[in-house]
Amino acid sequence: MKLDSKAPEGPLEEKWSRHKKEMKLVAPNNKRKYEVIVVGTGLAGGAAAASMAELGYKVTSFCIQDSARRAHSIAAQGGINAAKNYPNDGDSIWRLFYDTIKGGDYRSRESNVYRLAEVSNEIIDQAVAQGVPFAREYSGLLSNRSFGGAQVSRTFYARGQTGQQLLLGAYQAMMRQVQLGNIDYHPRHEMLDVVIIDGQARGIITRDLVSGELHRWEADAVVLATGGYGNVFYLSTNAKNSNVTAAWRAHKKGALFANPCYVQVHPTCIPVSGDYQSKLTLMSESLRNDGRVWVPRKKGDDRHPNDIPEEDRFYYLEEKYPSFGNLVPRDVASRNAKIVCDDGLGVGETGLAVYLDFRDAIKRDGRDTIESKYGNLFDMYENIAGENPYEMPMRIYPAVHYTMGGLWVDYNLMTNVPGLFATGEANFSDHGANRLGASALMQGLSDGYFVLPSTIGNYLADVKPGTRYGTDHEAFVSAEKESQDKINKLLNIKGKRTIVDFHRTLGKIVWDNIGIARNEEDLKKAIKEIQELRKEFWTNVYVPGEANNYNKYLEFAGRVADFFELAELMAKDALDRQESCGCHLREEYQSDEGEALRNDEEYSYVAAWEYKDLNGELVEELHKENLEFEFVELKQRSYK
Ligand SMILES: Cc1cc2nc3c(=O)[nH]c(=O)nc-3n(C[C@H](O)[C@H](O)[C@H](O)COP(=O)(O)OP(=O)(O)OC[C@H]3O[C@@H](n4cnc5c(N)ncnc54)[C@H](O)[C@@H]3O)c2cc1C
């Protein structure tokens, strides 16, 4: 299979505008003849549904939650990047592009990343016009703060609730279209399969999560904006409902899954405290603007942190990376936290934590200033950890947070299945092997408000308006039957182990072997363990309740079943990539200083996997999209 990125030719700065000029258009009065399904109502899906409906397309929107407003995007805390250069500190579209491509360790497409940086400024204008209450300076100008991997302040924020405020903006725009009858909106519906007819995506199968009924939906195109798959690790900062099912089922219908092993582990999370935990809590990266990361210099120093004098504190990020200090990118900060803890310098009961200390910032700026910037995050920390971060340092440790891998898409955000698009965290597109802070919201909204609404027209212009096969077409019937059979199978196992027990065990295998550091031996072991556990899952899981009513267990069982298959592919992908890049640290490939050592000669490609089911045995075939770099020079990343 030849993977064509469809990246436009020409100078980097002109690619997107030229592409927009050259793409085919659908005439305004023809748009209403096309129906588009959008699965997901987070920032990517909500923005896409609202914008396409505003353009005149007929949109049908689905989400799992009881309200579009509760999509996982609501959890985003720290901010959204844009190259406005309001602080006048030397930012530009080029610099945002460069930081992002370098931050991703040169494993993303130049064309996509440049477009993202270009569109970033429009997102801020759009959000401000919607009334999103970004923080402002006394003068009225929007405030900015810094995030990792950048030496400028370009992050726009609304306290520690940026995702919530941006989502309210997208949600209002979407609800306006629901009210106008342009969006047919279905919360509490889970997509179970995509329907493909004559090689084109023509619809989906959903389960009504309240009544349990399965439904068939037909359309001219399908957009998956279904978020990331961090919950394969069981413990992550993601919402419990975040899952891979929609993307995975599309993968099993032919859509390639790209770079599944690229998983971001965020350095500043509240550490794991026991087996009973079902999720982890992020302490936003924005805190590293003012908080200083340190551990005691000597092993076994169990003095209260406030009693440890300056000379006995090891500010390891500031010492090792003087240029970026505490604001090194996430992969670098996470790796270094692991290194100091592995060296026995970790703090707290488990020794798996480091300090994030605001003592100096409070002394310098005053408690009120710190409270106005991070008050809600400090309160959250105190509620969970039972310690007051104004008075003693927070304890933090890396946790799974974001997945750069996802469905392979071309420059138009279309998967290799014509008519099937993927946006936001569900696609693989813009962050390479490591995402910089505050750039997921930027990508989701760029895809949803600005890119997809243009590029989808280029596809639809070639689809005859009004083409309908009917939902009694064989492809719909068999897709529904497959979904129903899977549900029945899960309910009929009636085994002895709970779904949570399987998920937790799977998550531990994935964290131990495909987490911050990986190596060949562990990856091979992980594949075996995952396969064995998957076998046991299908013979020994207990799924209580029934198919035809509200059944949370059944929902989770289906998602965990998909996580098993994904986990195996993640290990295969990590095994294939015999280099270190970004978050993918293969212990065999490190520089003398312990930094990720890329192998550009052999691995400068996007790994796009094709699913093949050979009599129940899962086989994935690797296809490579070679990454060409015309505008940046590939260098060993340095933040020193
Ligand atoms: C705690 C936390 C804080 C973060 N803070 C920041 C930040 O400050 N800045 C930043 O840039 N990024 C941040 N991120 C990352 C960012 O929030 C996410 O990457 C982004 O919001 C994902 O948006 P999305 O629209 O792609 O998906 P989501 O918001 O995850 O939405 C997915 C949607 O798909 C629906 N869905 C999923 N599966 C199905 C299915 N099978 N059928 C039907 N519907 C389905 C869900 O119901 C939901 O509506 C943070 C992440 C976390 C976990």
Side-chain angles (χ1 to χ4, degrees):
M1 186 183 305
K2 172 144 177 29
L3 291 180
D4 181 0
S5 72
K6 305 217 171 64
E9 297 293 322
L12 195 55
E13 298 78 4
E14 289 173 22
K15 282 182 194 283
W16 179 227
S17 45
R18 191 186 281 197
H19 192 59
K20 279 192 287 186
K21 253 187 268 160
E22 289 170 359
M23 274 190 293
K24 289 177 212 136
L25 293 173
V26 176
N29 55 354
N30 270 341
K31 288 204 174 86
R32 71 177 73 97
K33 297 180 188 156
Y34 290 101
E35 291 180 58
V36 181
I37 285 172
V38 180
V39 188
T41 58
L43 288 175
S51 307
M52 289 192 292
E54 189 79 46
L55 280 170
Y57 296 114
K58 291 283 168 209
V59 173
T60 315
S61 153
F62 300 90
C63 68
I64 288 172
Q65 287 81 5
D66 56 350
S67 160
R69 226 175 23 194
R70 295 213 172 132
H72 161 63
S73 290
I74 203 167
Q77 300 172 349
I80 175 167
N81 287 330
K84 288 279 196 189
N85 191 29
Y86 285 163
N88 195 23
D89 55 359
D91 202 8
S92 62
I93 289 172
W94 172 268
R95 201 179 281 275
L96 174 53
F97 154 73
Y98 183 76
D99 287 346
T100 308
I101 208 140
K102 172 185 168 191
D105 218 355
Y106 307 96
R107 289 292 174 262
S108 42
R109 278 187 210 132
E110 283 181 329
S111 53
N112 283 56
V113 180
Y114 193 87
R115 174 176 66 190
L116 179 65
E118 210 177 333
V119 167
S120 68
N121 290 336
E122 296 172 46
I123 297 170
I124 302 303
D125 298 342
Q126 166 97 353
V128 168
Q130 287 170 343
V132 172
F134 284 124
R136 287 177 187 266
E137 301 296 337
Y138 185 70
S139 62
L141 204 63
L142 299 185
S143 292
N144 281 168
R145 57 187 175 198
S146 305
F147 264 61
Q151 286 176 310
V152 294
S153 289
R154 61 160 74 100
T155 304
F156 295 75
Y157 62 99
R159 264 199 161 192
Q161 304 163 343
T162 316
Q164 181 184 16
Q165 298 307 325
L166 288 168
L167 191 61
L168 286 171
Y171 172 77
Q172 287 168 42
M174 199 182 138
M175 285 305 127
R176 177 170 174 270
Q177 294 300 327
V178 171
Q179 184 69 24
L180 291 171
N182 298 329
I183 296 182
D184 181 17
Y185 164 55
H186 300 273
R188 290 186 145 181
H189 275 67
E190 179 168 21
M191 174 191 140
L192 296 182
D193 212 347
V194 59
V195 177
I196 295 173
I197 301 177
D198 289 342
Q200 290 176 317
R202 298 293 322 191
I204 62 170
I205 305 294
T206 60
R207 178 167 180 269
D208 178 328
L209 296 177
V210 179
S211 71
E213 267 174 79
L214 298 192
H215 294 284
R216 307 170 195 173
W217 306 88
E218 188 174 14
D220 297 287
V222 175
V223 179
L224 301 186
T226 46
Y229 52 85
N231 277 343
V232 63
F233 289 83
Y234 184 69
L235 286 181
S236 87
T237 62
N238 287 197
K240 284 303 281 180
N241 263 327
S242 296
N243 68 90
V244 78
T245 288
W248 193 255
R249 308 253 170 123
H251 174 54
K252 291 176 86 165
K253 280 284 167 74
L256 302 181
F257 207 102
N259 299 334
C261 80
Y262 290 168
V263 174
Q264 177 160 88
V265 178
H266 197 298
T268 57
C269 302
I270 300 183
V272 177
S273 56
D275 290 344
Y276 52 84
Q277 263 176 297
S278 60
K279 95 174 280 314
L280 295 174
T281 307
L282 173 79
M283 286 287 103
S284 167
E285 178 162 305
S286 59
L287 294 168
R288 285 194 277 143
N289 273 269
D290 289 301
R292 299 179 70 192
V293 179
W294 64 278
V295 286
R297 244 179 227 290
K298 283 184 229 106
K299 264 189 210 176
D301 186 344
D302 56 5
R303 283 177 286 178
H304 188 283
N306 292 350
D307 295 334
I308 300 184
E310 204 59 14
E311 63 275 16
D312 291 343
R313 295 174 169 212
F314 180 22
Y315 293 98
Y316 56 91
L317 293 178
E318 295 175 27
E319 287 186 26
K320 243 174 127 173
Y321 306 97
S323 304
F324 283 71
N326 293 298
L327 282 172
V328 289
R330 292 174 179 177
D331 56 333
V332 178
S334 293
R335 202 142 58 228
N336 278 281
K338 182 174 185 306
I339 291 171
V340 291
C341 291
D342 288 351
D343 287 348
L345 299 175
V347 300
E349 275 166 30
T350 59
L352 292 176
V354 301
Y355 291 128
L356 179 63
D357 197 342
F358 291 85
R359 183 195 64 179
D360 296 347
I362 292 171
K363 229 187 265 166
R364 187 189 62 223
D365 300 337
R367 181 180 159 140
D368 287 352
T369 305
I370 295 301
E371 196 171 339
S372 72
K373 284 188 185 167
Y374 314 113
N376 69 314
L377 300 173
F378 276 45
D379 292 347
M380 195 159 75
Y381 181 84
E382 189 171 3
N383 281 336
I384 294 171
E387 288 168 355
N388 181 348
Y390 293 102
E391 286 165 11
M392 65 183 286
M394 290 182 180
R395 273 178 288 133
I396 51 158
Y397 195 68
V400 171
H401 179 64
Y402 180 89
T403 47
M404 281 75 68
L407 292 174
W408 182 89
V409 288
D410 64 17
Y411 189 74
N412 295 320
L413 304 181
M414 189 160 84
T415 69
N416 58 306
V417 176
L420 180 66
F421 293 78
T423 60
E425 195 173 338
N427 73 27
F428 88 104
S429 71
D430 294 354
H431 308 293
N434 176 57
R435 174 175 74 79
L436 291 186
S439 58
L441 303 186
M442 172 171 71
Q443 184 223 327
L445 290 179
S446 159
D447 288 358
Y449 282 136
F450 299 105
V451 181
L452 184 78
S454 296
T455 58
I456 203 163
N458 193 45
Y459 170 76
L460 291 174
D462 286 335
V463 175
K464 198 163 155 267
T467 312
R468 287 288 168 270
Y469 296 86
T471 53
D472 49 3
H473 185 282
E474 210 265 292
F476 277 98
V477 176
S478 70
E480 185 184 318
K481 182 171 178 315
E482 262 176 56
S483 301
Q484 188 63 58
D485 289 350
K486 192 163 191 169
I487 289 171
N488 296 344
K489 196 170 164 188
L490 284 166
L491 286 167
N492 288 333
I493 297 170
K494 299 198 186 308
K496 294 210 159 42
R497 262 179 100 172
T498 63
I499 306 153
V500 169
D501 193 22
F502 275 107
H503 192 181
R504 196 189 284 122
T505 312
L506 172 69
K508 181 150 174 29
I509 299 173
V510 184
W511 174 249
D512 287 346
N513 302 290
I514 327 171
I516 300 181
R518 297 113 186 242
N519 64 58
E520 184 177 343
E521 194 188 326
D522 286 353
L523 289 168
K524 286 186 172 156
K525 178 171 65 80
I527 291 176
K528 269 215 181 107
E529 288 176 5
I530 294 165
Q531 285 171 343
E532 278 161 21
L533 194 66
R534 179 159 64 90
K535 226 180 257 164
E536 193 198 329
F537 175 85
W538 282 106
T539 51
N540 195 25
V541 71
Y542 177 58
V543 185
E546 295 156 3
N548 56 355
N549 58 33
Y550 182 71
N551 186 346
K552 239 20 217 167
Y553 295 106
L554 182 59
E555 281 173 44
F556 279 114
R559 295 174 201 160
V560 172
D562 293 332
F563 280 142
F564 269 108
E565 297 180 4
L566 166 76
E568 192 176 328
L569 183 61
M570 286 166 67
K572 282 186 182 152
D573 187 43
L575 197 58
D576 166 73
R577 194 165 280 282
Q578 294 181 39
E579 65 162 352
S580 294
C581 57
C583 66
H584 170 65
L585 183 84
R586 280 286 298 264
E587 287 168 338
E588 304 92 322
Y589 310 102
Q590 300 184 59
S591 70
D592 295 341
E593 293 163 316
E595 305 292 345
L597 195 60
R598 291 196 321 268
N599 176 349
D600 294 330
E601 283 279 291
E602 291 176 89
Y603 291 95
S604 186
Y605 59 74
V606 176
W609 297 88
E610 182 185 1
Y611 178 92
K612 299 194 161 161
D613 184 352
L614 301 181
N615 300 325
E617 192 199 342
L618 308 183
V619 176
E620 297 270 356
E621 187 182 337
L622 174 62
H623 302 275
K624 298 176 183 175
E625 179 200 330
N626 286 324
L627 292 167
E628 316 279 344
F629 292 91
E630 274 182 83
F631 303 94
V632 295
E633 188 193 341
L634 273 64
K635 291 188 192 146
Q636 170 75 31
R637 254 181 348 146
S638 169
Y639 293 96
K640 295 207 169 192

